[in-house]
Amino acid sequence: MTNGYRVQQRPLPAAEGSQERPVLPTSALWRTGRLAMLPLRHAARTAAAASRLSRAATDQVAARTAEQVFTTLGELKGGAAKLGQAMSVFEAAMPEEVAAPYRSALRRLTDAAPAMPAEVARRVIAADLSAAYGPGWQERLVAFNDIPAAAASIGQVHRGQWRMDGGQVVEVAVKVQYPGVGQALRSDLRQARLLARMAARLTRLNVSGLADELAAHLAEELDYVREGQVQAEVAAAFADRPPKELAAARAAGVTEPPGRTYVTVPAVYAATPRVLITRWLDGAPLSALLDGRTDLLPEGWRELGPGEAADRAARLLGHAIYAPAACTGWMHADLHPGNFLLLPGGRLGMLDFGAAAATPGGIPAPFGQLAAAVLAGDGLKAIRLARQAGALAPDAEADPRLIIDLLYPLAATGAETSFTYSRAWLRGLMAHLAQPRFAPALRNLTPPPQYALVWRATLSAAGLFAQLGATVPTRAFHLAYSPGFRGSVPSPQAQRTDTTLRRAS
């Protein structure tokens, strides 16, 4: 710890009250006006670039547009920035000629707003911790760094020191919620559809469903007590002792991909409505690997070649995404690069559990069953499962062959032992889904509301894998963590027996 760090960390004052003036712009009229202009500016600039500008000029327009769009989202914070972060995982689907400037702007999204003043953060902390721990709360949070370590969409993170019950002092991350962010969120939720149209222009994806889901669940992220509970429960999925939910997979002869215990979830020390205090993790952001910044990678990562590092990161991300859903009833649903850290020793840190999909009983069985039916080419069964899951209305017409053709590229990631993701693959997938012949089927297929966050997380995972360009044991993840898939495809023993018999014949 440096002397400068000691100077910045000093005890917090006693609470002076819980009312704080908003630090975010909360005027619905002002926020709506800023958001409404974004699609118009982007559409005009993109049309001009496409019709009459040179390639170099087109790239410059794309860079300026990306900078303006994501700087504005960052300034607004709240729901606007949340959508920008959600869009970041689909960057790999953007046309290659404009992907680079968007990639750069997306990475800087959280830096676009001025930090919450230190004294405001201190007063919020003092009010919440004094309510939770009484007048002795300063004996717990014994030091606090005024300079924010990170800024997020609904709060910012400071470094501090926390005294444990046994007297040990540990380094912690102190997440403090922006005063007034709730009011800003309510304004942004009314503009969710507007933001979705902007996202569609940027990514060529129909994300109206994502915007609706964001509007329905975003308010949950204001509750840091809930987030702390989810984070503590998720940590159990990565314990050295295998969770009991994996026993069935092992009994069926399934071996989970290596690396589950190399995922780290920070311990939670305190959680109040506006303050969350967790263990501090030292590491490099996942974006360092995505950007090729090997100089920033810690020990255990920098020794690996680019492809090996990408494959390892993707494998650990697979555990981070699917193990909690199967073993704890929660699935991380905010899968942008800022929520993952590359830690020393080749480990992966997992952060920010405000957006978490509830998966009681594990990953919903219809997901895996439907994927298995599509791989088997059983269109009638796929339609039946889609109806059971609520993704297809009972009276909706569906062509079995068309359903298989539509969904097969999605399910094909689990057809073989491993699958190599890429930006080209993701762009091809989006072009496949956009084919006119699939329009009738897509109109009838709607992810059920109870699975909206799970759909978002699953698609976001593919986006991250594509950005990494990684080879992933996707099928093994499905077999280990998705009972619906495992119970609908031949067991490993049966597959080996079938292969032996075919070879003998």
Side-chain angles (χ1 to χ4, degrees):
M1 184 180 297
T2 66
N3 289 335
Y5 182 60
R6 292 181 187 275
V7 169
Q8 286 296 333
Q9 294 205 115
R10 52 191 173 90
L12 277 76
E16 298 177 358
S18 59
Q19 298 298 317
E20 289 292 340
R21 298 179 62 183
V23 298
L24 301 185
T26 57
S27 166
L29 181 62
W30 187 83
R31 294 178 70 88
T32 299
R34 292 295 304 278
L35 295 174
M37 290 300 293
L38 289 175
L40 298 177
R41 292 168 181 160
H42 175 77
R45 290 180 178 180
T46 301
S51 63
R52 63 178 182 270
L53 298 181
S54 67
R55 174 64 179 273
T58 298
D59 291 345
Q60 292 176 4
V61 168
R64 288 197 303 270
T65 303
E67 186 71 28
Q68 182 180 43
V69 166
F70 293 106
T71 296
T72 299
L73 293 180
E75 289 170 350
L76 292 175
K77 295 292 186 185
K82 273 293 175 188
L83 184 64
Q85 290 171 347
M87 288 158 53
S88 70
V89 298
F90 302 120
E91 170 261 311
M94 295 179 184
E96 191 60 34
E97 63 270 17
V98 298
Y102 282 119
R103 191 178 309 143
S104 175
L106 283 162
R107 299 284 190 272
R108 298 196 302 275
L109 175 61
T110 57
D111 299 327
M116 182 192 333
E119 291 307 314
V120 174
R122 286 172 168 272
R123 287 195 294 268
V124 171
I125 293 169
D128 271 37
L129 293 189
S130 64
Y133 294 98
W137 67 270
Q138 293 181 80
E139 298 176 6
R140 295 278 190 163
L141 186 61
V142 296
F144 178 80
N145 193 325
D146 281 338
I147 301 175
S153 54
I154 63 174
Q156 67 188 30
V157 178
H158 293 255
R159 194 162 183 172
Q161 293 180 332
W162 182 262
R163 180 175 285 117
M164 309 274 286
D165 288 337
Q168 178 186 8
V169 175
V170 294
E171 299 293 321
V172 294
V174 184
K175 184 158 71 169
V176 188
Q177 193 170 113
Y178 298 126
V181 71
Q183 184 178 347
L185 279 176
R186 285 189 291 273
S187 172
D188 291 344
L189 296 187
R190 290 191 289 270
Q191 301 302 317
R193 286 270 177 190
L194 180 71
L195 290 169
R197 289 197 296 272
M198 181 196 67
R201 289 190 176 100
L202 295 175
T203 64
R204 299 182 182 177
L205 302 177
N206 181 357
V207 293
S208 60
L210 171 62
D212 289 341
E213 169 270 317
L214 188 69
H217 294 278
L218 197 55
E220 296 177 352
E221 299 189 43
L222 295 172
D223 186 352
Y224 283 1
V225 174
R226 174 186 180 272
E227 180 176 345
Q229 293 171 343
V230 171
Q231 184 165 335
E233 292 175 15
V234 164
F238 310 109
D240 290 336
R241 184 176 181 179
K244 62 180 178 18
E245 288 77 8
L246 291 177
R250 295 188 174 190
V254 172
T255 301
E256 62 177 314
R260 177 180 54 83
T261 60
Y262 276 71
V263 178
T264 297
V265 175
V268 177
Y269 299 123
T272 69
R274 298 182 299 167
V275 178
L276 182 63
I277 300 176
T278 64
R279 174 188 166 197
W280 178 268
L281 295 182
D282 274 315
L286 179 62
S287 58
L289 184 59
L290 296 173
D291 294 338
R293 293 295 308 276
T294 56
D295 57 309
L296 299 179
L297 301 182
E299 167 270 325
W301 289 98
R302 60 175 172 263
E303 298 85 352
L304 304 177
E308 189 180 3
D311 291 352
R312 181 180 183 86
R315 190 169 66 250
L316 298 185
L317 282 167
H319 285 296
I321 294 162
Y322 297 116
C327 303
T328 71
W330 295 106
M331 189 174 195
H332 201 304
D334 196 6
L335 303 179
H336 66 85
N339 282 338
F340 297 97
L341 290 177
L342 305 177
L343 306 179
R347 304 180 67 88
L348 181 76
M350 193 177 180
L351 308 173
D352 196 347
F353 294 84
T359 57
I363 295 175
F367 276 75
Q369 293 169 345
L370 179 58
V374 171
L375 287 177
D378 191 338
L380 292 176
K381 185 176 182 179
I383 290 173
R384 185 171 69 252
L385 287 167
R387 294 192 197 282
Q388 290 176 0
L392 188 65
D395 58 348
E397 295 184 2
D399 180 341
R401 186 67 261 166
L402 194 65
I403 291 293
I404 295 297
D405 289 348
L406 170 66
L407 298 180
Y408 189 83
L410 291 166
T413 59
E416 302 294 338
T417 303
S418 62
F419 186 85
T420 299
Y421 294 79
S422 67
R423 298 175 187 276
W425 167 80
L426 187 57
R427 288 194 297 271
L429 175 63
M430 298 310 163
H432 167 83
L433 297 177
Q435 291 183 52
R437 68 189 183 103
F438 294 136
L442 287 172
R443 280 196 295 269
N444 290 328
L445 281 173
T446 305
Q450 68 270 27
Y451 296 154
L453 282 177
V454 177
W455 277 112
R456 169 185 168 182
T458 302
L459 186 57
S460 296
L464 281 177
F465 296 158
Q467 288 186 58
L468 286 164
T471 298
V472 185
T474 309
R475 184 179 179 86
F477 281 126
H478 291 339
L479 290 170
Y481 296 133
S482 174
F485 186 84
R486 185 170 63 244
S488 302
V489 299
S491 67
Q493 296 97 324
Q495 288 179 319
R496 286 193 291 268
T497 300
D498 179 64
T499 300
T500 301
L501 289 173
R502 283 189 280 109
R503 286 176 178 172
S505 62

